[in-house]
Amino acid sequence: KKRGRRKCKMALAEQRAMLEQLMQQLPGADPNANKSFEDEDVCKPYLCGLCPREVFTNTKMDFGPCDKLHNDDIREKYLAAKKEGKRFRFEIEFEREIEKIVNDCDRRIKSSEKRVNKGEESAPVVAVSEAEKDPAVMAIAMEIEATLAEAEKKGEEGDVDESMRLNDKVKELELKKMVAQGEALKKLMPAESKEEEGESEGPSRKMIFHQQKLRVCDICGAFLSATDSDKRLADHFGGKLHIGYLQVRNKVEEVKVSALMPQFFAIYCIGVGRWFALHPCRVNC
């Protein structure tokens, strides 16, 4: 009898597997319907709520395209398993990955802040308005204005790709303008200051930091100028790189809080237990 039952179960399992294969071949059928979230080709960071490769696409921190599967139905299966209190090894690997991204960014921020502060402390004071009158600087400034106007026009017309391309060009022109301003300021420097800076080609980095009054974004590490317009600042804070780092930092904090919750609950239970131990009469009542 037992052997007969086993054979029957095996036959039913085979029939079920064949039926599932046939169902997947039907038009409109989801090929990932029976996929497990623990499969190798499933993106584990996406299951945990954030895939860095997806977040930083088309930025200077682009890790390349994610070759793993992103599927919301599979993620629902993972979340259901999480509700049952299950813990998986890939969650620990994900936590280490996003913490490394934040730590690397924080190191860059500290390094950039030191460079800015050093430049501001040691740079000689020169009138920035004089550098703005330099022909090369004025030509670049006019090109920036024209490019911004064209980018805004393309955005209103619905040509998003061209608008983004022009905005990227503006960023390149801003850097070019910084170099030109540095060169102009260098010409205005006193002779003794030039000797201290040396005869190296190109503008002094200290001068650029000083004349731009730069500060470092504490989220993504980008340089921001005190003279930036509201639109430029809005473009930065709404940029993909800044938002990407903000998402990663929020996720790190979320993971830390979720890790501490069981400890808080345990402490709470111990406290309640001690209270009842000290007040037995109230429990009897």
Side-chain angles (χ1 to χ4, degrees):
K1 290 182 179 180
K2 289 183 178 179
R3 287 180 182 176
R5 288 177 182 173
R6 286 178 184 174
K7 287 182 180 180
C8 184
K9 287 181 179 179
M10 289 175 65
L12 286 171
E14 289 177 2
Q15 290 176 3
R16 188 180 295 109
M18 290 175 63
L19 182 61
E20 287 175 354
Q21 286 182 349
L22 289 170
M23 292 292 288
Q24 289 176 10
Q25 294 173 5
L26 291 173
D30 184 4
N32 303 312
N34 299 308
K35 209 162 192 53
S36 170
F37 59 81
E38 294 187 83
D39 290 348
E40 285 294 325
D41 60 343
V42 174
C43 179
K44 304 304 186 293
Y46 181 79
L47 296 179
C48 296
L50 186 142
C51 176
R53 291 181 178 274
E54 185 180 47
V55 168
F56 291 111
T57 303
N58 297 326
T59 69
K60 67 178 182 181
M61 287 300 297
D62 196 333
F63 297 108
C66 183
D67 57 356
K68 302 291 185 180
L69 180 63
H70 291 193
N71 186 283
D72 291 333
D73 292 333
I74 296 174
R75 187 166 184 268
E76 288 298 325
K77 294 178 184 178
Y78 161 71
L79 294 175
K82 282 276 291 180
K83 287 180 181 178
E84 295 175 4
K86 293 180 181 179
R87 180 80 167 157
F88 303 95
R89 183 177 181 80
F90 63 76
E91 293 174 334
I92 299 171
E93 294 172 356
F94 168 71
E95 291 167 16
R96 288 174 181 169
E97 182 182 2
I98 58 175
E99 283 179 1
K100 184 180 183 300
I101 291 172
V102 170
N103 291 337
D104 289 346
C105 182
D106 287 342
R107 277 194 292 271
R108 287 196 301 273
I109 289 171
K110 287 181 181 178
S111 175
S112 297
E113 286 176 342
K114 285 180 182 178
R115 285 160 54 197
V116 171
N117 293 335
K118 187 177 179 181
E120 288 180 348
E121 288 170 3
S122 55
V125 178
V126 180
V128 179
S129 57
E130 293 298 320
E132 293 289 341
K133 297 176 183 177
D134 186 84
V137 176
M138 291 176 68
I140 298 171
M142 290 174 65
E143 189 177 356
I144 288 171
E145 288 182 12
T147 308
L148 279 172
E150 183 66 19
E152 189 174 347
K153 181 182 176 183
K154 291 293 182 183
E156 291 173 354
E157 293 174 355
D159 193 347
V160 178
D161 292 337
E162 182 63 16
S163 178
M164 289 178 66
R165 189 190 70 78
L166 290 169
N167 279 318
D168 290 338
K169 184 181 177 182
V170 168
K171 292 175 184 177
E172 294 175 4
L173 289 170
E174 289 283 1
L175 291 173
K176 190 177 176 182
K177 183 182 175 184
M178 284 176 60
V179 173
Q181 286 174 328
E183 289 285 3
L185 285 166
K186 198 171 183 180
K187 294 175 186 175
L188 298 170
M189 287 171 63
E192 58 271 17
S193 297
K194 289 182 181 178
E195 290 175 5
E196 289 176 10
E197 289 294 333
E199 297 299 325
S200 59
E201 294 183 3
S204 164
R205 200 165 190 81
K206 294 176 183 178
M207 290 297 297
I208 292 174
F209 284 144
H210 178 69
Q211 61 93 13
Q212 283 287 329
K213 297 180 182 177
L214 296 179
R215 64 185 179 89
V216 183
C217 177
D218 59 355
I219 298 296
C220 65
F223 288 111
L224 300 174
S225 173
T227 59
D228 280 342
S229 64
D230 291 342
K231 186 178 184 303
R232 291 288 295 151
L233 291 172
D235 287 342
H236 167 75
F237 292 121
K240 197 164 187 179
L241 184 68
H242 183 89
I243 291 175
Y245 270 114
L246 187 62
Q247 286 178 314
V248 174
R249 289 180 183 278
N250 289 340
K251 194 65 183 178
V252 169
E253 292 302 317
E254 180 186 321
V255 167
K256 286 180 180 179
V257 171
S258 61
L260 290 172
M261 284 303 293
Q263 298 178 26
F264 287 139
F265 183 72
I267 293 169
Y268 172 77
C269 291
I270 292 169
V272 171
R274 286 179 178 175
W275 188 89
F276 280 119
L278 293 171
H279 304 83
C281 58
R282 296 193 180 185
V283 177
N284 293 331
C285 295

